[in-house]
Amino acid sequence: MKLKIPALIIVAIAMVLPKNSSCQVLNRVKNTVKNTATNRADEGAANATGKAIDKGVDAAAGNNGDDNNPANATASPGNTTAHSNGQPTIKSYQNYDFVPGDTVLFEDNFMEDQDGEFPSHWDLEKGQAVVNKLNGTPAFYLTEGNYVKVTPLMKTKTYLHDPFTVEFDYYPTSGSYGPLVFFSYVNADGNEDDVQVQFNTNGEVNTGYFGNDFSGSYPEKDADAFLSKWHHAAMIYKNGQIKCYVDQYRVLVVPKAGFVPLSLGFGGIGDQDNPIILKNIKVASGGNMNMLGKKFTASKIVTHGINFDIDKATIKPESMGTLNMIVQVMKDNPDVKFEIDGHTDNSGNAAHNLTLSQQRADAVKTQLVGMGVDASRLTAKGFGDTRPVSDNNTPEGKANNRRVEFVKM
């Protein structure tokens, strides 16, 4: 079933209703889409948030090759901005405050899956889905169903605990339906039910449950410009509060969620011509490290929020939440010095991993210096895959081994 959503629509209500209400939900969405005004977020706020900072490290010559092609793995520590293809740059993330959880529960970039097949680390509950490539990059296509629903294969049925974070990239098109994140919980009757949060195809985020609807707008005026490019989505659930981010913006805050999530899935209205397209899905426990404004006494900070292009030392823009947190820690503790330690999983050649980890540690140091940290307070060292903290035989184990540590000197 195909749901057409005009590109300039601002608010499309996301549905959080019992499972047997999908027909009513679809009618509700259609009616809301028809009657929604096209009012946008305040232009001044958008301009202020979107300005590039002068402190950041300028990009080296742009590399327009496929980020996922090892043949293009010419790591360059100075190249810390995104490609100039209309995507947000690292400078535009200057005020980003999302910090991922410190233990990865699940991660999948679909690199290990065969094109045209259902991915090996997922379960299909409804509809149809398949891995296909988009511009040479493997992605998860949800192609059919009202609703299509996929869930990660986990060792236990319930694995979400307060707090936790969710991240993924999505690729909206003019005829597609924005992805839903399904959260399973136990309702007041003691039965398992679903709550849904929708990331719309114009950048807005909507959610509604227990009779309350919440909606947040993406602070850019041109909804057409949002289409046909990758966007990064992030969520944190902490103390019953939900924060949702799209690209560099915090789009929606729900102070009291009213439910306790146990597990999650992804889905929506799948369509073969306009599928829901996802990649780089990560779920982690913990979130938003509570150390700002405090005396730093720990021996080190272990982070999984500083991400790089595959097999490169190019820092991804969404890393700025973690980097901003490190900068603030160093401002709050002017006597603290850190050794930046880069670590990889055991994929590929050990010698290459050692070199890559050093280049990534150097890139982090360069970026922090560009953000105002005195270079004398930082050193950088790469350890490759020599110091694993988890099992390299599982995707989540590899994800936990790919990390940047800040060791107090």
PDB file of all heavy atoms in Angstrom, residues 2-13 26 29-30 32-34 36 173-179 198-202 204 206 223-224 227 269 274:
ATOM      1  N   LYS A   2       0.573   2.221  -0.833  1.00  0.00           N
ATOM      2  CA  LYS A   2       1.421   3.389  -0.982  1.00  0.00           C
ATOM      3  C   LYS A   2       0.766   4.596  -0.334  1.00  0.00           C
ATOM      4  O   LYS A   2      -0.397   4.876  -0.534  1.00  0.00           O
ATOM      5  CB  LYS A   2       1.665   3.654  -2.457  1.00  0.00           C
ATOM      6  CG  LYS A   2       2.633   4.820  -2.704  1.00  0.00           C
ATOM      7  CD  LYS A   2       2.797   5.093  -4.182  1.00  0.00           C
ATOM      8  CE  LYS A   2       3.401   3.929  -4.895  1.00  0.00           C
ATOM      9  NZ  LYS A   2       3.649   4.185  -6.305  1.00  0.00           N
ATOM     10  N   LEU A   3       1.540   5.321   0.491  1.00  0.00           N
ATOM     11  CA  LEU A   3       1.042   6.527   1.107  1.00  0.00           C
ATOM     12  C   LEU A   3       1.808   7.703   0.556  1.00  0.00           C
ATOM     13  O   LEU A   3       3.008   7.799   0.740  1.00  0.00           O
ATOM     14  CB  LEU A   3       1.225   6.467   2.633  1.00  0.00           C
ATOM     15  CG  LEU A   3       0.803   7.726   3.412  1.00  0.00           C
ATOM     16  CD1 LEU A   3      -0.689   7.976   3.232  1.00  0.00           C
ATOM     17  CD2 LEU A   3       1.152   7.578   4.870  1.00  0.00           C
ATOM     18  N   LYS A   4       1.144   8.607  -0.184  1.00  0.00           N
ATOM     19  CA  LYS A   4       1.784   9.765  -0.765  1.00  0.00           C
ATOM     20  C   LYS A   4       1.754  10.916   0.233  1.00  0.00           C
ATOM     21  O   LYS A   4       0.695  11.329   0.695  1.00  0.00           O
ATOM     22  CB  LYS A   4       1.074  10.197  -2.055  1.00  0.00           C
ATOM     23  CG  LYS A   4       1.168   9.146  -3.158  1.00  0.00           C
ATOM     24  CD  LYS A   4       2.594   9.019  -3.668  1.00  0.00           C
ATOM     25  CE  LYS A   4       2.680   8.075  -4.852  1.00  0.00           C
ATOM     26  NZ  LYS A   4       4.024   7.953  -5.383  1.00  0.00           N
ATOM     27  N   ILE A   5       2.908  11.459   0.590  1.00  0.00           N
ATOM     28  CA  ILE A   5       2.985  12.579   1.510  1.00  0.00           C
ATOM     29  C   ILE A   5       3.618  13.753   0.786  1.00  0.00           C
ATOM     30  O   ILE A   5       4.771  13.673   0.384  1.00  0.00           O
ATOM     31  CB  ILE A   5       3.825  12.236   2.754  1.00  0.00           C
ATOM     32  CG1 ILE A   5       3.197  11.045   3.485  1.00  0.00           C
ATOM     33  CG2 ILE A   5       3.948  13.436   3.676  1.00  0.00           C
ATOM     34  CD1 ILE A   5       3.951  10.632   4.710  1.00  0.00           C
ATOM     35  N   PRO A   6       2.899  14.883   0.559  1.00  0.00           N
ATOM     36  CA  PRO A   6       3.469  16.038  -0.119  1.00  0.00           C
ATOM     37  C   PRO A   6       4.729  16.508   0.570  1.00  0.00           C
ATOM     38  O   PRO A   6       4.833  16.482   1.801  1.00  0.00           O
ATOM     39  CB  PRO A   6       2.345  17.087  -0.036  1.00  0.00           C
ATOM     40  CG  PRO A   6       1.099  16.278   0.147  1.00  0.00           C
ATOM     41  CD  PRO A   6       1.514  15.075   0.935  1.00  0.00           C
ATOM     42  N   ALA A   7       5.684  16.989  -0.229  1.00  0.00           N
ATOM     43  CA  ALA A   7       6.996  17.321   0.312  1.00  0.00           C
ATOM     44  C   ALA A   7       6.958  18.473   1.292  1.00  0.00           C
ATOM     45  O   ALA A   7       7.815  18.570   2.153  1.00  0.00           O
ATOM     46  CB  ALA A   7       7.946  17.658  -0.844  1.00  0.00           C
ATOM     47  N   LEU A   8       5.975  19.395   1.202  1.00  0.00           N
ATOM     48  CA  LEU A   8       5.964  20.572   2.063  1.00  0.00           C
ATOM     49  C   LEU A   8       5.093  20.423   3.300  1.00  0.00           C
ATOM     50  O   LEU A   8       4.855  21.362   4.035  1.00  0.00           O
ATOM     51  CB  LEU A   8       5.501  21.802   1.254  1.00  0.00           C
ATOM     52  CG  LEU A   8       6.447  22.229   0.128  1.00  0.00           C
ATOM     53  CD1 LEU A   8       5.884  23.440  -0.592  1.00  0.00           C
ATOM     54  CD2 LEU A   8       7.820  22.535   0.676  1.00  0.00           C
ATOM     55  N   ILE A   9       4.561  19.216   3.522  1.00  0.00           N
ATOM     56  CA  ILE A   9       3.734  19.026   4.716  1.00  0.00           C
ATOM     57  C   ILE A   9       4.611  19.146   5.960  1.00  0.00           C
ATOM     58  O   ILE A   9       5.691  18.608   6.026  1.00  0.00           O
ATOM     59  CB  ILE A   9       3.075  17.639   4.677  1.00  0.00           C
ATOM     60  CG1 ILE A   9       2.001  17.624   3.580  1.00  0.00           C
ATOM     61  CG2 ILE A   9       2.444  17.305   6.009  1.00  0.00           C
ATOM     62  CD1 ILE A   9       0.900  18.643   3.809  1.00  0.00           C
ATOM     63  N   ILE A  10       4.116  19.794   6.980  1.00  0.00           N
ATOM     64  CA  ILE A  10       4.901  20.010   8.173  1.00  0.00           C
ATOM     65  C   ILE A  10       4.657  18.958   9.237  1.00  0.00           C
ATOM     66  O   ILE A  10       5.569  18.373   9.754  1.00  0.00           O
ATOM     67  CB  ILE A  10       4.619  21.412   8.764  1.00  0.00           C
ATOM     68  CG1 ILE A  10       5.043  22.464   7.754  1.00  0.00           C
ATOM     69  CG2 ILE A  10       5.393  21.623  10.053  1.00  0.00           C
ATOM     70  CD1 ILE A  10       6.472  22.363   7.356  1.00  0.00           C
ATOM     71  N   VAL A  11       3.389  18.724   9.575  1.00  0.00           N
ATOM     72  CA  VAL A  11       3.104  17.797  10.666  1.00  0.00           C
ATOM     73  C   VAL A  11       2.329  16.617  10.142  1.00  0.00           C
ATOM     74  O   VAL A  11       1.270  16.784   9.576  1.00  0.00           O
ATOM     75  CB  VAL A  11       2.283  18.486  11.781  1.00  0.00           C
ATOM     76  CG1 VAL A  11       1.967  17.528  12.899  1.00  0.00           C
ATOM     77  CG2 VAL A  11       3.044  19.677  12.308  1.00  0.00           C
ATOM     78  N   ALA A  12       2.901  15.428  10.283  1.00  0.00           N
ATOM     79  CA  ALA A  12       2.186  14.205   9.952  1.00  0.00           C
ATOM     80  C   ALA A  12       2.175  13.368  11.212  1.00  0.00           C
ATOM     81  O   ALA A  12       3.214  12.980  11.698  1.00  0.00           O
ATOM     82  CB  ALA A  12       2.888  13.458   8.821  1.00  0.00           C
ATOM     83  N   ILE A  13       0.993  13.112  11.723  1.00  0.00           N
ATOM     84  CA  ILE A  13       0.919  12.502  13.053  1.00  0.00           C
ATOM     85  C   ILE A  13       1.421  11.069  13.009  1.00  0.00           C
ATOM     86  O   ILE A  13       0.996  10.284  12.190  1.00  0.00           O
ATOM     87  CB  ILE A  13      -0.530  12.515  13.565  1.00  0.00           C
ATOM     88  CG1 ILE A  13      -1.013  13.961  13.669  1.00  0.00           C
ATOM     89  CG2 ILE A  13      -0.644  11.842  14.923  1.00  0.00           C
ATOM     90  CD1 ILE A  13      -0.231  14.823  14.615  1.00  0.00           C
ATOM     91  N   LEU A  26      -4.046   4.573   9.859  1.00  0.00           N
ATOM     92  CA  LEU A  26      -3.770   5.000   8.491  1.00  0.00           C
ATOM     93  C   LEU A  26      -4.729   6.102   8.080  1.00  0.00           C
ATOM     94  O   LEU A  26      -4.322   7.087   7.461  1.00  0.00           O
ATOM     95  CB  LEU A  26      -3.896   3.801   7.542  1.00  0.00           C
ATOM     96  CG  LEU A  26      -3.577   4.100   6.067  1.00  0.00           C
ATOM     97  CD1 LEU A  26      -2.185   4.706   5.937  1.00  0.00           C
ATOM     98  CD2 LEU A  26      -3.693   2.829   5.247  1.00  0.00           C
ATOM     99  N   VAL A  29      -3.630   9.341   9.646  1.00  0.00           N
ATOM    100  CA  VAL A  29      -2.499   9.953   8.961  1.00  0.00           C
ATOM    101  C   VAL A  29      -2.949  10.667   7.701  1.00  0.00           C
ATOM    102  O   VAL A  29      -2.558  11.799   7.416  1.00  0.00           O
ATOM    103  CB  VAL A  29      -1.435   8.888   8.616  1.00  0.00           C
ATOM    104  CG1 VAL A  29      -0.372   9.482   7.705  1.00  0.00           C
ATOM    105  CG2 VAL A  29      -0.795   8.354   9.877  1.00  0.00           C
ATOM    106  N   LYS A  30      -3.806   9.998   6.902  1.00  0.00           N
ATOM    107  CA  LYS A  30      -4.281  10.608   5.658  1.00  0.00           C
ATOM    108  C   LYS A  30      -5.009  11.920   5.927  1.00  0.00           C
ATOM    109  O   LYS A  30      -4.811  12.923   5.244  1.00  0.00           O
ATOM    110  CB  LYS A  30      -5.197   9.630   4.924  1.00  0.00           C
ATOM    111  CG  LYS A  30      -4.461   8.442   4.316  1.00  0.00           C
ATOM    112  CD  LYS A  30      -5.443   7.524   3.604  1.00  0.00           C
ATOM    113  CE  LYS A  30      -4.714   6.352   2.942  1.00  0.00           C
ATOM    114  NZ  LYS A  30      -5.661   5.435   2.296  1.00  0.00           N
ATOM    115  N   THR A  32      -4.742  13.850   8.561  1.00  0.00           N
ATOM    116  CA  THR A  32      -3.829  14.860   9.083  1.00  0.00           C
ATOM    117  C   THR A  32      -3.008  15.482   7.980  1.00  0.00           C
ATOM    118  O   THR A  32      -2.783  16.687   7.939  1.00  0.00           O
ATOM    119  CB  THR A  32      -2.887  14.216  10.135  1.00  0.00           C
ATOM    120  OG1 THR A  32      -3.692  13.632  11.149  1.00  0.00           O
ATOM    121  CG2 THR A  32      -1.963  15.253  10.739  1.00  0.00           C
ATOM    122  N   VAL A  33      -2.530  14.642   7.051  1.00  0.00           N
ATOM    123  CA  VAL A  33      -1.740  15.135   5.933  1.00  0.00           C
ATOM    124  C   VAL A  33      -2.538  16.118   5.100  1.00  0.00           C
ATOM    125  O   VAL A  33      -2.048  17.156   4.666  1.00  0.00           O
ATOM    126  CB  VAL A  33      -1.265  13.958   5.064  1.00  0.00           C
ATOM    127  CG1 VAL A  33      -0.712  14.452   3.736  1.00  0.00           C
ATOM    128  CG2 VAL A  33      -0.207  13.163   5.803  1.00  0.00           C
ATOM    129  N   LYS A  34      -3.818  15.815   4.870  1.00  0.00           N
ATOM    130  CA  LYS A  34      -4.656  16.659   4.014  1.00  0.00           C
ATOM    131  C   LYS A  34      -4.862  18.023   4.639  1.00  0.00           C
ATOM    132  O   LYS A  34      -4.927  19.036   3.945  1.00  0.00           O
ATOM    133  CB  LYS A  34      -5.994  15.966   3.774  1.00  0.00           C
ATOM    134  CG  LYS A  34      -6.935  16.804   2.894  1.00  0.00           C
ATOM    135  CD  LYS A  34      -8.291  16.119   2.758  1.00  0.00           C
ATOM    136  CE  LYS A  34      -8.178  14.845   1.961  1.00  0.00           C
ATOM    137  NZ  LYS A  34      -9.503  14.221   1.720  1.00  0.00           N
ATOM    138  N   THR A  36      -3.056  19.618   7.160  1.00  0.00           N
ATOM    139  CA  THR A  36      -1.951  20.230   7.900  1.00  0.00           C
ATOM    140  C   THR A  36      -1.459  21.503   7.237  1.00  0.00           C
ATOM    141  O   THR A  36      -1.317  21.554   6.039  1.00  0.00           O
ATOM    142  CB  THR A  36      -0.782  19.231   8.012  1.00  0.00           C
ATOM    143  OG1 THR A  36      -1.251  18.071   8.663  1.00  0.00           O
ATOM    144  CG2 THR A  36       0.347  19.828   8.813  1.00  0.00           C
ATOM    145  N   THR A 173      12.407   9.533   0.374  1.00  0.00           N
ATOM    146  CA  THR A 173      12.077   9.936  -0.987  1.00  0.00           C
ATOM    147  C   THR A 173      10.659  10.504  -0.988  1.00  0.00           C
ATOM    148  O   THR A 173       9.909  10.341  -0.026  1.00  0.00           O
ATOM    149  CB  THR A 173      12.170   8.752  -1.965  1.00  0.00           C
ATOM    150  OG1 THR A 173      11.238   7.734  -1.555  1.00  0.00           O
ATOM    151  CG2 THR A 173      13.571   8.178  -1.995  1.00  0.00           C
ATOM    152  N   SER A 174      10.286  11.173  -2.082  1.00  0.00           N
ATOM    153  CA  SER A 174       9.021  11.904  -2.109  1.00  0.00           C
ATOM    154  C   SER A 174       7.802  11.002  -1.930  1.00  0.00           C
ATOM    155  O   SER A 174       6.777  11.430  -1.428  1.00  0.00           O
ATOM    156  CB  SER A 174       8.886  12.682  -3.418  1.00  0.00           C
ATOM    157  OG  SER A 174       8.913  11.804  -4.534  1.00  0.00           O
ATOM    158  N   GLY A 175       7.904   9.746  -2.338  1.00  0.00           N
ATOM    159  CA  GLY A 175       6.761   8.852  -2.215  1.00  0.00           C
ATOM    160  C   GLY A 175       6.850   7.885  -1.065  1.00  0.00           C
ATOM    161  O   GLY A 175       5.962   7.051  -0.902  1.00  0.00           O
ATOM    162  N   SER A 176       7.896   7.979  -0.269  1.00  0.00           N
ATOM    163  CA  SER A 176       8.094   6.993   0.791  1.00  0.00           C
ATOM    164  C   SER A 176       7.433   7.439   2.086  1.00  0.00           C
ATOM    165  O   SER A 176       6.970   8.571   2.234  1.00  0.00           O
ATOM    166  CB  SER A 176       9.588   6.753   1.024  1.00  0.00           C
ATOM    167  OG  SER A 176      10.210   7.923   1.523  1.00  0.00           O
ATOM    168  N   TYR A 177       7.416   6.530   3.038  1.00  0.00           N
ATOM    169  CA  TYR A 177       6.818   6.731   4.355  1.00  0.00           C
ATOM    170  C   TYR A 177       7.941   6.766   5.373  1.00  0.00           C
ATOM    171  O   TYR A 177       8.817   5.896   5.372  1.00  0.00           O
ATOM    172  CB  TYR A 177       5.855   5.586   4.641  1.00  0.00           C
ATOM    173  CG  TYR A 177       5.035   5.709   5.893  1.00  0.00           C
ATOM    174  CD1 TYR A 177       3.884   6.498   5.916  1.00  0.00           C
ATOM    175  CD2 TYR A 177       5.377   5.022   7.043  1.00  0.00           C
ATOM    176  CE1 TYR A 177       3.107   6.597   7.055  1.00  0.00           C
ATOM    177  CE2 TYR A 177       4.617   5.108   8.187  1.00  0.00           C
ATOM    178  CZ  TYR A 177       3.482   5.899   8.192  1.00  0.00           C
ATOM    179  OH  TYR A 177       2.713   5.990   9.316  1.00  0.00           O
ATOM    180  N   GLY A 178       7.944   7.810   6.212  1.00  0.00           N
ATOM    181  CA  GLY A 178       9.014   7.922   7.190  1.00  0.00           C
ATOM    182  C   GLY A 178       9.079   6.740   8.125  1.00  0.00           C
ATOM    183  O   GLY A 178       8.042   6.202   8.536  1.00  0.00           O
ATOM    184  N   PRO A 179      10.275   6.276   8.486  1.00  0.00           N
ATOM    185  CA  PRO A 179      10.408   5.070   9.309  1.00  0.00           C
ATOM    186  C   PRO A 179       9.806   5.246  10.696  1.00  0.00           C
ATOM    187  O   PRO A 179       9.882   6.320  11.302  1.00  0.00           O
ATOM    188  CB  PRO A 179      11.926   4.860   9.389  1.00  0.00           C
ATOM    189  CG  PRO A 179      12.506   6.205   9.142  1.00  0.00           C
ATOM    190  CD  PRO A 179      11.587   6.876   8.172  1.00  0.00           C
ATOM    191  N   GLN A 198       7.707   8.260  14.859  1.00  0.00           N
ATOM    192  CA  GLN A 198       7.918   8.358  13.424  1.00  0.00           C
ATOM    193  C   GLN A 198       8.885   9.484  13.077  1.00  0.00           C
ATOM    194  O   GLN A 198       8.748  10.610  13.546  1.00  0.00           O
ATOM    195  CB  GLN A 198       6.606   8.600  12.679  1.00  0.00           C
ATOM    196  CG  GLN A 198       6.795   8.627  11.157  1.00  0.00           C
ATOM    197  CD  GLN A 198       5.499   8.757  10.402  1.00  0.00           C
ATOM    198  OE1 GLN A 198       4.479   9.132  10.971  1.00  0.00           O
ATOM    199  NE2 GLN A 198       5.527   8.439   9.127  1.00  0.00           N
ATOM    200  N   PHE A 199       9.852   9.138  12.222  1.00  0.00           N
ATOM    201  CA  PHE A 199      10.762  10.117  11.633  1.00  0.00           C
ATOM    202  C   PHE A 199      10.267  10.375  10.212  1.00  0.00           C
ATOM    203  O   PHE A 199      10.441   9.550   9.320  1.00  0.00           O
ATOM    204  CB  PHE A 199      12.194   9.588  11.650  1.00  0.00           C
ATOM    205  CG  PHE A 199      12.796   9.566  13.026  1.00  0.00           C
ATOM    206  CD1 PHE A 199      12.468   8.567  13.931  1.00  0.00           C
ATOM    207  CD2 PHE A 199      13.673  10.556  13.431  1.00  0.00           C
ATOM    208  CE1 PHE A 199      13.010   8.544  15.201  1.00  0.00           C
ATOM    209  CE2 PHE A 199      14.223  10.553  14.707  1.00  0.00           C
ATOM    210  CZ  PHE A 199      13.887   9.541  15.588  1.00  0.00           C
ATOM    211  N   ASN A 200       9.639  11.530  10.008  1.00  0.00           N
ATOM    212  CA  ASN A 200       8.956  11.807   8.758  1.00  0.00           C
ATOM    213  C   ASN A 200       9.911  12.152   7.620  1.00  0.00           C
ATOM    214  O   ASN A 200      11.085  12.459   7.836  1.00  0.00           O
ATOM    215  CB  ASN A 200       7.949  12.945   8.954  1.00  0.00           C
ATOM    216  CG  ASN A 200       6.776  12.509   9.803  1.00  0.00           C
ATOM    217  OD1 ASN A 200       6.043  11.605   9.452  1.00  0.00           O
ATOM    218  ND2 ASN A 200       6.611  13.146  10.959  1.00  0.00           N
ATOM    219  N   THR A 201       9.370  12.156   6.419  1.00  0.00           N
ATOM    220  CA  THR A 201      10.180  12.387   5.226  1.00  0.00           C
ATOM    221  C   THR A 201      10.505  13.859   5.007  1.00  0.00           C
ATOM    222  O   THR A 201      11.128  14.200   4.008  1.00  0.00           O
ATOM    223  CB  THR A 201       9.461  11.837   3.978  1.00  0.00           C
ATOM    224  OG1 THR A 201       8.162  12.430   3.881  1.00  0.00           O
ATOM    225  CG2 THR A 201       9.324  10.323   4.048  1.00  0.00           C
ATOM    226  N   ASN A 202      10.094  14.742   5.919  1.00  0.00           N
ATOM    227  CA  ASN A 202      10.505  16.138   5.876  1.00  0.00           C
ATOM    228  C   ASN A 202      11.343  16.523   7.089  1.00  0.00           C
ATOM    229  O   ASN A 202      11.586  17.694   7.336  1.00  0.00           O
ATOM    230  CB  ASN A 202       9.282  17.058   5.772  1.00  0.00           C
ATOM    231  CG  ASN A 202       8.296  16.840   6.913  1.00  0.00           C
ATOM    232  OD1 ASN A 202       8.566  16.066   7.824  1.00  0.00           O
ATOM    233  ND2 ASN A 202       7.167  17.507   6.857  1.00  0.00           N
ATOM    234  N   GLU A 204      10.630  15.973  10.311  1.00  0.00           N
ATOM    235  CA  GLU A 204       9.912  16.106  11.572  1.00  0.00           C
ATOM    236  C   GLU A 204       9.814  14.763  12.287  1.00  0.00           C
ATOM    237  O   GLU A 204       9.928  13.709  11.678  1.00  0.00           O
ATOM    238  CB  GLU A 204       8.519  16.671  11.318  1.00  0.00           C
ATOM    239  CG  GLU A 204       8.573  18.093  10.798  1.00  0.00           C
ATOM    240  CD  GLU A 204       7.237  18.574  10.313  1.00  0.00           C
ATOM    241  OE1 GLU A 204       6.311  17.743  10.217  1.00  0.00           O
ATOM    242  OE2 GLU A 204       7.127  19.768  10.009  1.00  0.00           O
ATOM    243  N   ASN A 206       7.307  12.709  15.121  1.00  0.00           N
ATOM    244  CA  ASN A 206       5.994  12.706  15.759  1.00  0.00           C
ATOM    245  C   ASN A 206       5.816  11.452  16.591  1.00  0.00           C
ATOM    246  O   ASN A 206       6.312  10.383  16.242  1.00  0.00           O
ATOM    247  CB  ASN A 206       4.881  12.766  14.707  1.00  0.00           C
ATOM    248  CG  ASN A 206       4.973  14.014  13.860  1.00  0.00           C
ATOM    249  OD1 ASN A 206       4.735  15.121  14.337  1.00  0.00           O
ATOM    250  ND2 ASN A 206       5.337  13.847  12.609  1.00  0.00           N
ATOM    251  N   ALA A 223      11.496  21.567   2.539  1.00  0.00           N
ATOM    252  CA  ALA A 223      11.288  20.137   2.761  1.00  0.00           C
ATOM    253  C   ALA A 223      11.763  19.318   1.571  1.00  0.00           C
ATOM    254  O   ALA A 223      12.194  18.171   1.732  1.00  0.00           O
ATOM    255  CB  ALA A 223       9.821  19.850   3.044  1.00  0.00           C
ATOM    256  N   ASP A 224      11.669  19.885   0.353  1.00  0.00           N
ATOM    257  CA  ASP A 224      12.144  19.160  -0.828  1.00  0.00           C
ATOM    258  C   ASP A 224      13.638  18.877  -0.730  1.00  0.00           C
ATOM    259  O   ASP A 224      14.123  17.830  -1.178  1.00  0.00           O
ATOM    260  CB  ASP A 224      11.859  19.967  -2.097  1.00  0.00           C
ATOM    261  CG  ASP A 224      10.390  19.880  -2.505  1.00  0.00           C
ATOM    262  OD1 ASP A 224       9.723  18.909  -2.121  1.00  0.00           O
ATOM    263  OD2 ASP A 224       9.918  20.797  -3.197  1.00  0.00           O
ATOM    264  N   LEU A 227      14.813  15.594   0.946  1.00  0.00           N
ATOM    265  CA  LEU A 227      14.619  14.314   0.293  1.00  0.00           C
ATOM    266  C   LEU A 227      15.864  13.848  -0.446  1.00  0.00           C
ATOM    267  O   LEU A 227      16.738  14.628  -0.809  1.00  0.00           O
ATOM    268  CB  LEU A 227      13.441  14.402  -0.680  1.00  0.00           C
ATOM    269  CG  LEU A 227      12.081  14.766  -0.077  1.00  0.00           C
ATOM    270  CD1 LEU A 227      11.060  14.986  -1.181  1.00  0.00           C
ATOM    271  CD2 LEU A 227      11.616  13.687   0.892  1.00  0.00           C
ATOM    272  N   ILE A 269       4.918   1.832   6.536  1.00  0.00           N
ATOM    273  CA  ILE A 269       4.165   1.369   5.380  1.00  0.00           C
ATOM    274  C   ILE A 269       5.155   1.135   4.238  1.00  0.00           C
ATOM    275  O   ILE A 269       5.658   2.083   3.633  1.00  0.00           O
ATOM    276  CB  ILE A 269       3.083   2.385   4.984  1.00  0.00           C
ATOM    277  CG1 ILE A 269       2.103   2.566   6.144  1.00  0.00           C
ATOM    278  CG2 ILE A 269       2.342   1.923   3.740  1.00  0.00           C
ATOM    279  CD1 ILE A 269       1.006   3.577   5.881  1.00  0.00           C
ATOM    280  N   ASN A 274       8.723   2.845  -3.475  1.00  0.00           N
ATOM    281  CA  ASN A 274       9.266   3.850  -2.557  1.00  0.00           C
ATOM    282  C   ASN A 274       9.472   3.217  -1.181  1.00  0.00           C
ATOM    283  O   ASN A 274       8.711   3.473  -0.239  1.00  0.00           O
ATOM    284  CB  ASN A 274       8.316   5.055  -2.454  1.00  0.00           C
ATOM    285  CG  ASN A 274       8.198   5.801  -3.760  1.00  0.00           C
ATOM    286  OD1 ASN A 274       9.103   6.526  -4.168  1.00  0.00           O
ATOM    287  ND2 ASN A 274       7.064   5.627  -4.436  1.00  0.00           N
TER     288      ASN A 274
END
